[in-house]
Amino acid sequence: MRFPVHITTDAIKHQIRNARKGNKRYPMVLMLEPLYTCNLACIGCALERHTGKIEDRLALEKCIQAVEETQAPIVSLCGGEPTIYPEIKELIEAIIERQRHIYLCTNALLLDSRIFGKVAPHKRLTLNVHLDGMKHTHDLVCDREGVFDKAIEMIKEAKRLGYHVTTNTTVFKETAMQEIEDLCELVAGLGVDGLMIAPGYHYETVEHDIFLSKQEIQIKFQRVLELSKKYRLMSTPMYLEFTAGMRDYQCSPWSTVTYTPNGWKGPCYLIGKEYYDNWQEFWNKVDWAYWESRQDRLCQNCMMHSGFEASAMFELKKSPKDLLRMAAWNMGL
Ligand code: SF4
């Protein structure tokens, strides 16, 4: 199976529960950003995501409340760098106790001091390591030498210790697709359990002209679609066909909700037009129909999985052929 069995079964149960309640929109993933402090300042990262003070982090209880309120079966722990969060061990344990699956999105620099030997490998925990290219490119993107070597060392150690490990790669304007293939070959050889490759989103607070237009995404992702036939990519074939310009979907911003030290971020993981203190207020006040339509200028070049993977999944019921393809893909056929 491409995903551990419990992720697939939990996701199906969650969908059935919501269908029975007649819910058209519901979260599948909670992006939980417990702090906006980071030990790096990557050039593609929104300014507010790495410049925060540690004392402004979310309280552990607030994080747990967010997990319970959304009911999403998957919690992606990001930030900032989540391994810096002083209560990271307690947070991971509390989420696992609530039967959710965690993707710990990390630059891997602190895995040896903050995770290994402190948080045991668990089927509900995936270490998702950020790698935006081979050594030269990744260190350039991270704006620090040595980050790539450390990440590779940590991936090897994590696999040796028995953790479930995936990698997460953002494709920028200057990314050479041969380098992405070289990276896939390298990490597949290290035994990683899956690779995520996504186009970068053009944050308005990022100065550098490094992001792709929609047309550029479609060209580069035709190659990613090819790579998905050879390597264990975690993106669904339908989403990859969307990024390659072969399908079109409306957005599902409500499928991936984001809780941050500033509150619930609306309308989506990428755009913080408004922050809400209260989950109900956030869920009821965001104009979902407007953001689903992608008519806003901020949506113009967006093909991010946080908006469209769920759209691809929800459309499956309309096509038995796609449903079968999806089942075969998940079984690794
Ligand atoms: S298209 Fe992208 S930017 Fe627009 S609402 Fe969807 S996820 Fe957000």
Side-chain angles (χ1 to χ4, degrees):
M1 293 285 275
R2 199 168 294 244
F3 289 105
V5 178
H6 69 271
I7 297 187
T8 310
T9 50
D10 287 355
I12 293 171
K13 278 192 253 171
H14 185 62
Q15 287 175 60
I16 293 173
R17 262 195 306 271
N18 277 285
R20 281 196 184 135
K21 286 183 196 159
N23 295 340
K24 248 181 67 197
R25 303 179 176 109
Y26 49 90
M28 293 298 293
V29 179
L30 165 63
M31 304 297 281
L32 181 52
E33 303 187 329
L35 77 177
Y36 275 167
T37 317
C38 194
N39 45 359
L40 290 175
C42 300
I43 60 173
C45 184
L47 202 60
E48 64 274 16
R49 278 218 159 99
H50 57 84
T51 51
K53 294 187 186 132
I54 193 121
E55 55 268 31
D56 295 332
R57 69 188 183 275
L58 283 170
L60 179 63
E61 302 70 47
K62 287 262 191 186
C63 293
I64 297 170
Q65 190 183 343
V67 171
E68 291 180 343
E69 281 172 329
T70 63
Q71 295 292 315
I74 293 173
V75 179
S76 196
L77 284 179
C78 29
E81 169 53 43
T83 56
I84 295 177
Y85 187 64
E87 296 81 20
I88 188 67
K89 176 177 157 52
E90 292 77 8
L91 179 57
I92 291 173
E93 287 170 354
I95 298 171
I96 289 176
E97 208 179 295
R98 284 159 180 78
Q99 307 276 302
R100 312 295 207 278
H101 188 88
I102 302 167
Y103 283 91
L104 180 67
C105 302
T106 176
N107 57 35
L109 296 181
L110 298 174
L111 281 181
D112 47 358
S113 59
R114 301 279 302 144
I115 301 295
F116 301 161
K118 296 186 171 67
V119 180
H122 192 284
K123 69 171 188 173
R124 291 190 176 273
L125 173 64
T126 296
L127 306 181
N128 188 24
V129 177
H130 166 218
L131 272 181
D132 282 346
M134 299 295 274
K135 185 177 168 61
H136 173 76
T137 308
H138 187 61
D139 286 357
L140 197 76
V141 168
C142 294
D143 206 16
R144 188 186 302 172
E145 273 184 36
V147 177
F148 178 84
D149 288 344
K150 178 79 180 187
I152 296 296
E153 184 195 328
M154 291 298 96
I155 289 173
K156 287 181 186 165
E157 185 61 2
K159 286 307 302 173
R160 192 186 70 76
L161 293 168
Y163 290 91
H164 193 258
V165 183
T166 55
T167 56
N168 185 20
T169 302
T170 302
V171 175
F172 298 104
K173 199 189 271 287
E174 299 300 331
T175 304
M177 296 314 287
Q178 183 54 47
E179 185 172 351
I180 296 295
E181 178 154 7
D182 294 345
L183 183 65
C184 289
E185 187 69 26
L186 173 76
V187 297
L190 300 179
V192 300
D193 301 278
L195 300 87
M196 297 183 196
I197 303 177
Y201 176 73
H202 196 151
Y203 292 108
E204 293 204 318
T205 53
V206 174
E207 287 172 20
H208 314 267
D209 180 25
I210 55 174
F211 299 103
L212 299 159
S213 67
K214 194 170 170 182
Q215 289 70 27
E216 289 166 329
I217 292 172
Q218 290 173 348
I219 292 167
K220 289 197 189 265
F221 273 73
Q222 281 163 17
R223 182 78 181 272
V224 176
L225 188 59
E226 283 306 306
L227 293 178
S228 72
K229 294 170 188 154
K230 193 168 164 196
Y231 300 101
R232 206 178 162 83
L233 298 200
M234 307 301 282
S235 303
T236 62
M238 293 81 204
Y239 168 70
L240 287 179
E241 286 174 6
F242 164 72
T243 56
M246 297 160 63
R247 293 169 178 258
D248 205 15
Y249 292 119
Q250 65 172 24
C251 184
S252 304
W254 37 265
S255 65
T256 305
V257 290
T258 308
Y259 190 50
T260 80
N262 300 330
W264 290 99
K265 183 176 181 178
C268 70
Y269 176 59
L270 307 155
I271 307 173
K273 276 230 176 254
E274 209 167 332
Y275 288 84
Y276 303 81
D277 288 337
N278 176 291
W279 162 253
Q280 285 303 335
E281 193 191 2
F282 158 74
W283 189 254
N284 295 324
K285 281 202 172 163
V286 175
D287 185 351
W288 297 122
Y290 173 79
W291 293 100
E292 281 169 353
S293 73
R294 301 163 61 191
Q295 63 188 278
D296 197 276
R297 75 174 173 84
L298 295 172
C299 300
Q300 206 183 340
N301 289 314
C302 177
M303 302 188 98
M304 287 288 289
H305 47 65
S306 55
F308 296 96
E309 269 290 13
S311 305
M313 200 180 68
F314 284 104
E315 288 286 315
L316 280 179
K317 51 183 176 295
K318 295 184 187 162
S319 164
K321 194 172 146 213
D322 282 349
L323 202 56
L324 282 176
R325 272 183 75 202
M326 183 75 166
W329 169 82
N330 198 22
M331 284 189 281
L333 302 175

